[in-house]
Amino acid sequence: MRIRRLVQWGCLSLSLGLACFWLIYHQLGEQAAVTVQDRLGQGAPQIGGNFTLTDQYGMKRSTSEFHGKYQLIYFGYSFCPDICPLGLQNMSSALTALKRDLEEVVPIFVTIDPQRDTVENLKIYASNFHPKFTMLTGTSQEVTPVLKNYKVYAAKAKPDGTMADYLMDHSTLIYLMDREGHFIKSFPHTIAPADLAKAVTALLGAEETRR
């Protein structure tokens, strides 16, 4: 009887051990699958691309012209009451802080409101910020694909179209692109000018180190 009980307990322990082993193995397998899936999803985000629009002087400008320089790109609109002026002012102060490195950077403003941001309006608007800014507009058909390629959200706050005076809801990031026009990273429009300038000088310093 005692031997029989020992055998039964042994079988029960073995069954429990096998069940635990299967459970742990199954969970590890799921975790490994998730880990591999996450890693496969990593990589450089697909943001950016060349485009051609019209600047504040009425000239057609292509971003391919600026290859060889770093680009700081901001999307906004001239009728923006607070967010855009702050972002552009922070960019302007960062450009001033760059001093002799300024020649390595092209600051670009792209309108999200081509209906009101005419060439004439952008020329006036540009006078409020660093003189090196290239401000770009175009038709809605020209601007919309650019917003899509840069993952920019933009929509009228009053989309019924009954008011000429309207605000725009939009994303507010500053995009930093490399010398070939590829996305490097983005910054909030509230970034301190010194920090933005530091990010650019760090890239320039890294280039010097590689030479």
Side-chain angles (χ1 to χ4, degrees):
M1 181 66 70
R2 185 177 179 183
I3 294 174
R4 185 178 176 181
R5 286 181 178 175
L6 288 174
V7 171
Q8 288 176 338
W9 278 109
C11 290
L12 180 61
S13 298
L14 180 61
S15 298
L16 288 172
L18 289 172
C20 291
F21 174 78
W22 180 86
L23 181 61
I24 293 170
Y25 177 81
H26 182 68
Q27 288 178 336
L28 288 175
E30 285 186 339
Q31 290 175 358
V34 170
T35 301
V36 170
Q37 197 171 31
D38 288 346
R39 286 178 180 171
L40 287 174
Q42 292 177 354
Q46 298 301 307
I47 296 175
N50 290 328
F51 58 85
T52 300
L53 292 172
T54 304
D55 71 10
Q56 68 264 42
Y57 303 107
M59 302 292 293
K60 285 289 185 182
R61 304 295 298 273
S62 172
T63 48
S64 60
E65 296 176 37
F66 307 128
H67 287 186
K69 309 281 187 181
Y70 287 100
Q71 299 170 40
L72 284 171
I73 306 178
Y74 184 81
F75 294 84
Y77 67 114
S78 66
F79 287 79
C80 183
D82 44 23
I83 293 175
C84 299
L86 176 60
L88 294 174
Q89 191 56 57
N90 286 338
M91 289 175 68
S92 295
S93 296
L95 293 169
T96 300
L98 286 173
K99 297 180 180 178
R100 64 181 182 181
D101 290 331
L102 177 62
E103 292 305 312
E104 303 299 324
V105 181
V106 178
I108 300 170
F109 172 85
V110 180
T111 184
I112 59 167
D113 184 21
Q115 181 178 340
R116 293 182 296 180
D117 279 343
T118 62
V119 168
E120 294 76 16
N121 283 346
L122 283 189
K123 187 173 183 180
I124 296 170
Y125 192 58
S127 65
N128 296 298
F129 306 107
H130 197 284
K132 197 172 182 186
F133 261 104
T134 296
M135 299 209 162
L136 299 173
T137 187
T139 65
S140 294
Q141 291 75 18
E142 291 172 327
V143 171
T144 297
V146 180
L147 303 185
K148 182 178 179 181
N149 290 339
Y150 281 78
K151 307 294 188 290
V152 175
Y153 170 76
K156 286 184 180 180
K158 296 180 179 176
D160 58 7
T162 59
M163 295 182 65
D165 227 6
Y166 55 85
L167 296 177
M168 298 285 291
D169 292 330
H170 64 98
S171 47
T172 61
L173 296 175
I174 300 169
Y175 295 83
L176 175 59
M177 316 299 285
D178 70 13
R179 293 185 186 276
E180 295 179 353
H182 300 138
F183 176 79
I184 299 176
K185 68 183 299 184
S186 60
F187 306 92
H189 75 284
T190 55
I191 186 172
D195 291 336
L196 184 56
K198 191 182 298 182
V200 174
T201 54
L203 290 172
L204 297 174
E207 285 182 339
E208 287 294 327
T209 303
R210 290 194 296 270
R211 287 173 185 169

